[in-house]
């Protein structure tokens, strides 16, 4: 999977920055998408293209449990988030939505906005096609991969219930 | 090797004798709490996947709280949808406006939290309920939908960090100051993915309510849960509210911890967390001159009766400073009534504060006290991220209820100890 990077090398980017609470009276992806990352980068929605990848520092997605954060990003076209580390509930929400979240320590400083990245989930490798570099990450746990492959937790459960 | 309270509760809920950190389990869930913001998406998802039937309607407790009384048409429709769904599903535990309250204050108050149980809610501060010796954690809407449909949820058994809190608090210092000091010490991801277990002389001394304030903020250090071994106080608190039987688990003396952190609270001063992270704590004596526009007393962290009592004690006979406004939000309807009965609401109103109905309201920048660009608020809530209480250009300072009250009186961040 390939995409262009939006780099936010800061730690503790929180769910209030990803989707502010003032928009939580909505829950449709397309409505939330209009405000993705608004309090961090007001130009994000203007700049993001379908298939892009966010790259961030430690503890990405900390704070509220609002899954709206994942929906806002996905609705805006973001295909995956790569971060040094993730906050727990955000990471869980990604898996549960079948949305790719890749934890790769110390990566945030190495990638520039606009770099073209290729994520190889099976081998645990991110290739930076622009800078011609390679970074490895710990493969996603098998159970999480099963949920992602099913297209999210509810599809996974619906299948089991069947 | 023994087990922690968290491991014991998790083992019991997946039908095993023992579990170890790192293991993935499917745990039976005893209480599913639903509020307005995260429940509507879960209802839609269930309908979309054809998972229409809630597995255990009797385990579900619903309380719209974030945008109540409805702040606009969209939020009114969210709650209307939840009301219809609750009826369809036969969910009877529904706290309608007037009997309602902020979820994490209401749930234990109404006897729905019992030691040894598992509790989830689509809300990050669900860790609050660990104060009564339950395993409680925040989840997203998909997790919520999955739990509603199946009665279970997957977890990775967390490692536990033990916080041993020694010594006694000085007068005017409260449990909020302790948890702000802990988060300042370990950072907002200092307990990432871990259970935070609190023990020691300080915990023994604290009321059950004050313990809830500590567990409430475990998430602000990245924790999966906060938890405290139940003692006689816990058991008395719970038994006064429910006749349901429950099982008490406590950590073994030889349980294994990822780390043990010791802290002596004897010299602790009131703490103020500066914008924009709960870990930016400073002792009140080192705060300097910081004028405030708004003082906010409320939320699931510090909107309980004890908090209102401390604030009222400080404000009695004083006035809110002329260029400052103060908003008091009792966290539940019962707290509101009790505060009214005790004359606390009179004290606030006489001082020139305003008192609202229970709501999450301005705590998350929803309504009823939103900040403008450039405004500063001292708040008894738990989170001071950019934009949390309104404009991304506003500033939120977190503190205990006493500090909030003293600051309202002086119009700048102030030390509550001189009023006590
Ligand atoms: S009072 Fe604030 S922190 Fe507590 S549940 Fe409501 S919005 Fe969340």
């Amino acid at each position: 999977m390939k995409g262009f990077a939006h780099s936010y090398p800061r730690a503790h980017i929180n769910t209030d920055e990803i989707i502010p609470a003032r928009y939580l009276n909505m829950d449709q992806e397309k409505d939330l998408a209009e405000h993705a990352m608004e309090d961090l980068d007001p130009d994000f929605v203007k700049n993001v293209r379908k298939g892009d990848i966010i790259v961030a520092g430690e503890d990405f997605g900390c704070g509220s449990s609002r899954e709206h954060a994942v929906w806002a990003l996905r609705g805006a076209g973001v295909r995956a988030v790569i971060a040094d580390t993730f906050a727990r509930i955000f990471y869980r929400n990604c898996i549960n939505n079948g949305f790719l979240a890749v934890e790769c320590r110390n990566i945030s400083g190495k990638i520039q906005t606009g770099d073209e990245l290729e994520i190889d989930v099976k081998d645990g490798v991110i290739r930076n096609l622009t800078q011609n570099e390679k970074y490895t990450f710990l493969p996603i746990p098998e159970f999480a991969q099963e949920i992602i492959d099913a297209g999210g937790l509810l599809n996974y459960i619906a299948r089991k219930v069947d | 090797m023994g087990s922690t309270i968290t491991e014991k509760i998790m083992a019991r809920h997946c039908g095993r004798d023992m579990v170890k950190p790192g293991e993935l389990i499917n745990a039976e869930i005893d209480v599913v709490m639903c509020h307005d913001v995260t429940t509507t998406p879960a209802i839609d998802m269930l309908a979309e996947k054809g998972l229409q039937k809630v597995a255990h309607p009797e385990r579900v407790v619903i309380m719209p709280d974030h945008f109540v009384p409805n702040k606009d048409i969209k939020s009114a429709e969210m709650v209307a949808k939840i009301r219809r769904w609750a009826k369809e599903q036969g969910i009877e535990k529904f706290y309608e406006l007037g009997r309602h309250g902020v979820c994490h204050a209401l749930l234990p108050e109404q006897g729905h939290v019992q030691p040894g149980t598992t509790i989830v809610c689509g809300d990050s501060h669900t860790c609050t309920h660990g104060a009564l010796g339950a395993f409680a954690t925040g989840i997203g809407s998909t997790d919520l939908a999955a739990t509603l449909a199946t009665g279970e949820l997957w977890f990775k058994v967390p490692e536990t960090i033990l916080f041993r809190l020694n010594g006694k608090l000085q007068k005017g210092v409260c449990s909020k100051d302790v948890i702000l000091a802990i988060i300042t010490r370990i950072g907002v991801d200092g307990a990432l993915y871990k259970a935070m277990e609190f023990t020691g002389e300080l915990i023994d001394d604290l009321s059950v309510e004050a313990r809830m304030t500590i567990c409430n903020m475990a998430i602000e250090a990245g924790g999966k849960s906060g938890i405290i071994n139940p003692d006689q106080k816990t058991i008395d608190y719970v038994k006064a509210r429910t006749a349901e039987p429950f099982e008490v688990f406590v950590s073994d003396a030889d349980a294994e911890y990822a780390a043990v952190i010791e802290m002596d609270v004897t010299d602790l001063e009131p703490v103020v967390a500066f914008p924009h992270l709960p870990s930016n704590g400073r002792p009140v004596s080192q705060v300097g001159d910081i004028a405030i526009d708004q003082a906010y007393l409320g939320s699931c962290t510090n909107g309980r009766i004890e908090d209102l009592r401390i604030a009222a004690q400080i404000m009695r006979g004083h006035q809110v400073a002329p260029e400052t406004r103060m908003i008091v939000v009792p966290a539940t309807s019962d707290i509101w009534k009790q505060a009214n009965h005790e004359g606390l609401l009179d004290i606030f109103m006489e001082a020139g504060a305003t008192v609202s109905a229970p709501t999450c309201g301005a705590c998350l920048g929803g309504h009823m006290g939103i900040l403008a660009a450039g405004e500063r608020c001292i708040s008894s809530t738990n989170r001071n991220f950019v934009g949390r209480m309104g404009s991304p250009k506003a500033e939120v300072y977190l503190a205990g209820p006493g500090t909030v009250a003293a600051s309202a009186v002086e119009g700048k961040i102030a030390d509550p100890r001189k009023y006590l």
Side-chain angles (χ1 to χ4, degrees):
Chain A
M1 166 189 149
K2 276 191 208 171
F4 291 95
H6 293 258
S7 167
Y8 301 98
R10 216 196 76 201
H12 316 305
I13 292 174
N14 62 70
T15 50
D16 279 291
E17 290 170 293
I18 302 169
I19 184 74
R22 55 186 176 274
Y23 304 119
L24 295 186
N25 55 2
M26 306 186 287
D27 55 26
Q28 297 302 308
E29 222 159 282
K30 63 171 185 359
D31 298 327
L32 298 167
E34 290 174 25
H35 305 287
M37 305 291 265
E38 186 170 291
D39 283 357
L40 177 71
D41 175 3
D43 293 329
F44 177 77
V45 172
K46 220 168 55 205
N47 295 334
V48 70
R49 296 280 169 272
K50 205 167 165 35
D52 284 357
I53 297 169
I54 288 183
V55 183
E58 289 180 0
D59 197 27
F60 185 82
C62 63
S64 145
S65 67
R66 64 188 71 151
E67 207 160 310
H68 308 62
V70 179
W71 302 329
L73 294 180
R74 186 165 64 187
V78 176
R79 177 88 65 81
V81 181
I82 303 173
D84 293 346
T85 57
F86 286 95
R88 186 189 71 83
I89 305 178
F90 182 85
Y91 188 70
R92 224 184 136 95
N93 286 343
C94 289
I95 294 174
N96 285 342
N97 275 277
F99 181 82
L100 189 60
V102 175
E103 192 164 288
C104 184
R105 304 238 163 203
N106 304 321
I107 194 166
S108 59
K110 296 176 185 152
I111 291 176
Q112 307 288 322
T113 294
D115 285 359
E116 189 177 20
L117 307 178
E118 185 175 35
I119 306 177
D120 184 335
V121 177
K122 228 172 67 239
D123 293 342
V125 177
I126 299 164
R127 286 184 204 90
N128 188 331
L129 305 177
T130 308
Q131 298 192 38
N132 209 5
E133 280 182 357
K134 217 166 87 171
Y135 327 99
T136 53
F137 61 90
L138 279 183
I140 293 163
E142 195 183 327
F143 172 68
Q145 192 62 52
E146 275 175 38
I147 293 176
I148 294 173
D149 291 344
L153 181 64
L154 287 184
N155 288 338
Y156 180 81
I157 285 174
R159 267 187 219 171
K160 280 216 296 201
V161 173
D162 276 357
Chain B
M1 188 58 73
S3 295
T4 66
I5 173 172
T6 302
E7 289 153 15
K8 288 184 185 181
I9 296 173
M10 290 188 123
R12 170 59 51 97
H13 285 78
C14 68
R16 307 221 328 238
D17 291 337
M18 211 177 183
V19 295
K20 284 279 155 218
E23 285 186 275
L24 280 172
I25 60 158
N26 243 338
E28 183 92 3
I29 302 299
D30 299 315
V31 180
V32 189
M33 179 164 72
C34 293
H35 68 49
D36 40 354
V37 168
T38 50
T39 306
T40 26
I43 295 172
D44 290 343
M45 289 176 201
L46 290 172
E48 193 187 310
K49 303 287 179 210
L51 298 161
Q52 302 276 19
K53 193 84 202 79
V54 169
H56 302 287
E58 74 287 358
R59 297 186 193 168
V60 181
V61 188
I62 305 176
M63 64 283 279
D65 59 356
H66 277 56
F67 297 140
V68 298
N70 300 333
K71 83 157 179 162
D72 56 14
I73 296 172
K74 283 178 181 159
S75 49
E77 282 176 352
M78 287 198 313
V79 181
K81 182 187 254 182
I82 297 173
R83 243 181 240 122
R84 277 197 302 275
W85 172 77
K87 263 217 182 94
E88 272 161 35
Q89 297 291 338
I91 297 168
E92 287 170 1
K93 294 170 191 154
F94 189 109
Y95 288 89
E96 190 51 89
L97 191 77
R99 302 191 165 74
H100 73 297
V102 172
C103 55
H104 307 303
L106 192 77
L107 201 74
E109 174 193 274
Q110 298 297 324
H112 300 296
V113 180
Q114 289 143 29
T117 57
T118 51
I119 301 174
V120 297
C121 171
D123 192 283
S124 61
H125 294 103
T126 307
C127 46
T128 309
H129 312 295
L132 284 84
F135 171 76
T137 192
I139 55 173
S141 298
T142 302
D143 276 326
L144 179 62
T147 312
L148 289 166
T150 64
E152 322 176 319
L153 193 59
W154 68 275
F155 294 104
K156 195 162 159 186
V157 178
E159 293 183 303
T160 299
I161 303 180
L162 183 69
F163 295 82
R164 194 171 289 124
L165 307 172
N166 306 315
K168 288 197 184 300
L169 292 175
Q170 288 172 37
K171 200 168 178 191
V173 184
C174 65
S175 66
K176 175 67 158 288
D177 301 309
V178 174
I179 188 65
L180 286 175
I182 290 174
I183 297 166
T184 300
R185 173 152 161 199
I186 68 171
V188 290
D189 54 0
L192 197 58
Y193 291 91
K194 301 201 170 57
M196 298 171 76
E197 185 177 324
F198 303 97
T199 189
E201 183 188 353
L202 168 79
I203 296 293
D204 297 342
D205 281 352
L206 292 177
S207 70
V208 172
E209 292 194 348
R211 294 175 190 176
M212 288 189 219
T213 304
I214 292 189
C215 288
N216 175 270
M217 291 190 71
I219 180 68
E220 306 307 335
K224 180 174 199 146
S225 56
I227 199 159
I228 291 172
N229 287 322
D231 60 5
Q232 196 55 44
K233 274 189 208 170
T234 321
I235 291 167
D236 294 345
Y237 179 96
V238 174
K239 285 204 170 149
R241 290 164 168 80
T242 176
E244 299 259 330
F246 53 86
E247 191 177 2
V248 171
F249 296 92
V250 294
S251 293
D252 294 325
D254 60 346
E256 204 174 337
Y257 292 98
V260 178
I261 295 180
E262 302 256 353
M263 211 168 116
D264 194 301
V265 299
T266 315
D267 296 327
L268 188 71
E269 287 186 33
V271 179
V272 178
F274 276 51
H276 291 283
L277 286 176
S279 55
N280 290 339
R282 291 190 207 168
V284 72
S285 61
Q286 288 167 36
V287 159
D289 235 14
I290 297 184
I292 51 152
D293 302 286
Q294 180 168 304
Y296 187 85
L297 177 65
S299 86
C300 57
T301 320
N302 284 119
R304 299 191 184 82
I305 193 71
E306 288 180 0
D307 304 316
L308 301 185
R309 283 182 191 139
I310 297 169
Q313 189 187 342
I314 289 172
M315 297 191 73
R316 187 193 304 266
H318 292 286
Q319 287 290 306
V320 173
E323 301 202 0
T324 303
R325 47 192 195 261
M326 183 180 192
I327 303 174
V328 181
V329 191
T332 70
S333 301
D334 280 0
I335 296 169
W336 203 103
K337 286 185 273 182
Q338 178 72 20
N340 189 37
H341 181 74
E342 293 181 19
L344 309 182
L345 304 187
D346 280 344
I347 295 174
F348 296 128
M349 296 300 285
E350 288 303 329
T354 192
V355 179
S356 99
T359 181
C360 286
C363 168
L364 82 162
H367 62 157
M368 313 269 282
I370 302 298
L371 302 174
E375 287 191 331
R376 285 205 194 104
C377 178
I378 186 148
S379 180
S380 74
T381 55
N382 47 36
R383 204 167 261 167
N384 56 352
F385 295 162
V386 172
R388 175 69 180 177
M389 295 185 76
S391 166
K393 297 203 176 73
E395 290 184 346
V396 179
Y397 295 74
L398 303 177
T403 310
V404 169
S407 305
V409 167
E410 296 192 19
K412 60 179 186 169
I413 296 181
D415 191 333
R417 289 174 295 180
K418 58 182 156 195
Y419 294 89
L420 293 167

